[in-house]
């Protein structure tokens, strides 16, 4: 059974950094594109960043470009999101997601098949 588990969320001040990690099990990790999404109260779940099956292609939402970096380790079946220069508007529950793909990086919520339970990120003023 496929499972994704996020970790690394927490409370930080504006300008600070956090590193989120997602560990996968029960799936052929190297055949999946991986994505990070976030959902703030009262808002729809939105794409944050994604990475192709071999790490050769990455994508970022305009709101996080230059501040966040996504990476993956297929041997460990993990995908990380390094978040720097955090802003209060980054506050949300962050979700790890997976979809079979050997082509690119899907960006739509509906395109992903497996989801983690989420980890809370809170950035204070």
């Amino acid at each position: 059974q496929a499972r994704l588990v996020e970790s690394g969320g927490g409370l930080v001040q504006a300008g600070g950094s956090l590193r989120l990690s997602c560990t996968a099990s029960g799936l052929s990790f190297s055949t999946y594109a991986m994505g990070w999404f976030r959902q703030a109260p009262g808002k729809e779940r939105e794409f944050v960043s994604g990475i192709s099956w071999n790490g050769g292609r990455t994508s970022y939402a305009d709101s996080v470009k230059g501040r966040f970096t996504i990476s993956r380790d297929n041997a460990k079946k993990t995908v990380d999101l390094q978040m720097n220069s955090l802003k209060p508007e980054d506050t949300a529950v962050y979700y790890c997601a997976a979809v079979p793909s050997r082509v690119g990086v899907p960006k739509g919520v509906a395109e992903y098949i497996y989801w983690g339970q989420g980890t809370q990120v809170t950035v204070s003023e």
Side-chain angles (χ1 to χ4, degrees), residues 39-103:
Q39 187 166 21
K43 299 183 67 177
E44 297 294 317
R45 191 168 299 187
E46 66 175 356
F47 175 81
V48 176
S49 183
I51 188 166
S52 61
W53 68 277
N54 63 350
R57 175 173 291 182
T58 58
S59 295
Y60 299 92
D62 288 342
S63 59
V64 307
K65 194 170 298 181
R67 300 187 297 120
F68 292 9
T69 303
I70 191 170
S71 61
R72 69 187 294 162
D73 186 333
N74 284 352
K76 297 180 179 179
K77 293 188 174 183
T78 60
V79 58
D80 292 353
L81 186 68
Q82 178 66 47
M83 305 186 295
N84 298 326
S85 302
L86 284 162
K87 305 174 180 180
E89 50 262 47
D90 294 319
T91 295
V93 176
Y94 283 69
Y95 297 90
C96 176
V99 59
S101 176
R102 283 292 191 98
V103 179

Side-chain angles (χ1 to χ4, degrees), residues 10-28:
L11 173 64
V12 298
Q13 293 185 331
S17 298
L18 284 174
R19 188 177 184 89
L20 305 183
S21 294
C22 173
T23 300
S25 61
L27 55 80
S28 299

